[in-house]
Amino acid sequence: MNYLFAEGGINFNYHSSLGYKWGLGGVVGIGAEYTFQQGLSVFVTPQIQYNLLILERSPYIMTLGIDKLIQIGCNIGVGYKF
């Protein structure tokens, strides 16, 4: 393992056709990256994302108010240094 890192940020969502008008949230994660001698690198970052959503009436959601959405996932990637 060459690098161990932490990441975080704020996100803003807008998608009226899915039943919510807008959302505001944050994401945090801790990851690791390994770089091979040929310039190829791989990384893995488990993360958790928390969103507050403002709901409105739609065919999909029949309520009006604030709801929460928590997503847990993992980003896996490959990079190459030219």
Side-chain angles (χ1 to χ4, degrees):
M1 175 173 50
N2 291 355
Y3 301 102
L4 184 63
F5 58 90
E7 65 180 10
I10 297 173
N11 58 19
F12 179 76
N13 304 305
Y14 178 82
H15 203 304
S16 61
S17 67
L18 291 179
Y20 61 89
K21 197 66 168 175
W22 65 270
L24 182 65
V27 60
V28 294
I30 296 176
E33 180 177 348
Y34 182 80
T35 303
F36 299 96
Q37 288 182 348
Q38 298 83 2
L40 185 69
S41 64
V42 294
F43 68 88
V44 177
T45 310
Q47 63 182 19
I48 186 165
Q49 182 173 349
Y50 181 83
N51 292 297
L52 292 174
L53 306 174
I54 303 297
L55 305 175
E56 41 179 49
R57 297 186 191 278
S58 76
Y60 306 107
I61 299 174
M62 300 305 292
T63 186
L64 187 65
I66 297 177
D67 202 1
K68 296 175 276 198
L69 175 67
I70 298 174
Q71 299 169 302
I72 299 173
C74 185
N75 289 331
I76 301 171
V78 177
Y80 184 77
K81 183 177 180 181
F82 292 100

